[in-house]
Amino acid sequence: QIQTFMRSGGTSLLTSLLKSLDEDILDAAATALTSLSAPSVRKPEDRVFDFKGTQVYVKELSFSDSGTAYNVWTAAMVLAQWMARSRTFASCIDRGEKVLELGSGLGVSGILAAKLGGHVTLSDFVPHVLDNLEASVVLNAIQNRAVVRRLNWAEEAGVTGTCSNHGWYAGGDGGSGGGREDERQHKTLDEEEHFDVIIGSDICYEHDHPALLEGVLRRRLAQGGRIFFLYAVRFPTLHAQLLERLALFCRDVVSESIDSAEGAYAVDIVEEGCAQHSSKYAGGMQLVTACRR
């Protein structure tokens, strides 16, 4: 019955109710979504994924501790498959360039980037997620090519008022929701640190994400640096806003449907394993690339 409800659009309906101004409706929808989520059905597992011969090991987390970073989302898998097959991406990291992954979550794409040759910084906000990323760096034996850093998009963008990043923190495989105070005081990026490549998956789904992403990219992307984002377009207006903002300081801004990109192959590979995270959204899945002027 639960699967029938989800297949008939029940999850999308509940998600739309999260925008309600009525607190009772909001709480009821959030509770229902949590009860339908995969963590209520199965326990976290250790996973291994193979991307064209390169293996990536990750440890799933519990939803209560880690929010939406509890396991791997389809977009992260599709991005990783694209990275492993793309000559364009390979040419951007073949000399050990510095790579930043935004909203790493479990870190699939960032770990792969390190194994492909980049010097990678995995970033997120939630302490438990950061701890898990540090363990995954050791698990994948990439200590000499990867570090973990706490990154708050609102702080990066200079936002001091209320924003989505103060409650549901943005991120990657896809992202991390919720969060606690960072008792360990995880390291942050250096003030003047810049990156040659910035990647991210499922990182544009809240109303203020385009503005926050612009702030992060303006501050952290080096001149001539490249952007590779891949995400499900849940709200086409947000996707359009991000492209407009990128065009303000980047050239060669391109948004390509995954149906026509190399990653189309990846969808066939990962959808069965990540079935609870359907990629069939209003705007499909888009690969966004750009180069900073």
Side-chain angles (χ1 to χ4, degrees):
Q1 291 178 335
I2 290 177
Q3 293 300 322
T4 300
F5 174 79
M6 296 173 71
R7 285 195 298 268
S8 63
T11 303
S12 297
L13 176 60
L14 289 172
T15 301
S16 68
L17 293 177
L18 293 177
K19 297 183 177 297
S20 173
L21 298 179
D22 187 311
E23 291 187 3
D24 291 335
I25 293 177
L26 183 62
D27 288 344
T31 300
L33 280 169
T34 299
S35 68
L36 290 172
S37 65
S40 67
V41 179
R42 62 178 179 82
K43 295 180 179 179
E45 301 176 354
D46 292 350
R47 305 285 298 276
V48 56
F49 300 104
D50 186 277
F51 301 104
K52 202 177 180 183
T54 300
Q55 293 187 323
V56 171
Y57 301 88
V58 299
K59 290 180 172 291
E60 294 178 339
L61 298 169
S62 68
F63 185 82
S64 59
D65 283 332
S66 313
T68 52
Y70 72 92
N71 76 343
V72 180
W73 290 69
T74 304
M77 294 292 291
V78 176
L79 176 60
Q81 286 282 1
W82 178 84
M83 287 163 48
R85 295 163 60 85
S86 171
R87 294 180 180 178
T88 298
F89 186 78
S91 68
C92 290
I93 62 169
D94 60 0
R95 294 183 297 276
E97 283 82 353
K98 292 183 63 178
V99 180
L100 172 65
E101 182 180 28
L102 298 178
S104 293
L106 296 189
V108 168
S109 301
I111 292 170
L112 177 64
K115 291 193 171 188
L116 292 177
H119 286 279
V120 178
T121 296
L122 303 163
S123 72
D124 213 288
F125 188 87
V126 178
H128 190 57
V129 175
L130 295 168
D131 291 340
N132 189 56
L133 285 169
E134 290 175 347
S136 292
V137 167
V138 176
L139 180 64
N140 285 275
I142 53 172
Q143 297 95 315
N144 63 332
R145 305 197 70 87
V147 296
V148 176
R149 295 291 183 263
R150 173 189 176 276
L151 186 67
N152 184 321
W153 295 4
E155 292 175 356
E156 290 287 304
V159 175
T160 56
T162 301
C163 72
S164 62
N165 210 44
H166 292 154
W168 283 84
Y169 306 112
D173 330 292
S176 359
R180 305 185 299 270
E181 289 298 318
D182 191 350
E183 298 174 357
R184 281 192 49 205
Q185 293 297 307
H186 290 88
K187 291 183 179 179
T188 57
L189 297 177
D190 293 337
E191 284 294 319
E192 300 302 321
E193 193 166 1
H194 297 92
F195 296 87
D196 306 302
V197 177
I198 296 182
I199 64 175
S201 60
D202 259 348
I203 55 174
C204 186
Y205 54 86
E206 295 283 5
H207 68 93
D208 50 6
H209 280 174
L212 293 174
L213 284 167
E214 179 187 358
V216 175
L217 294 170
R218 282 185 180 273
R219 183 174 182 185
R220 298 300 180 180
L221 185 62
Q223 185 174 7
R226 299 292 298 274
I227 298 166
F228 299 99
F229 291 163
L230 195 148
Y231 52 84
V233 180
R234 295 165 174 82
F235 306 105
T237 53
L238 292 185
H239 176 59
Q241 289 172 22
L242 178 59
L243 297 181
E244 290 174 1
R245 288 180 176 274
L246 290 178
L248 296 175
F249 62 101
C250 294
R251 59 179 173 82
D252 302 329
V253 179
V254 176
S255 178
E256 184 177 11
S257 171
I258 202 64
D259 292 334
S260 60
E262 290 183 55
Y265 169 79
V267 174
D268 295 334
I269 298 298
V270 304
E271 278 295 320
E272 183 177 356
C274 302
Q276 68 270 34
H277 309 310
S278 173
S279 61
K280 297 174 177 62
Y281 290 95
M285 299 189 78
Q286 293 286 321
L287 173 68
V288 176
T289 60
C291 179
R292 182 158 193 179
R293 288 196 291 265

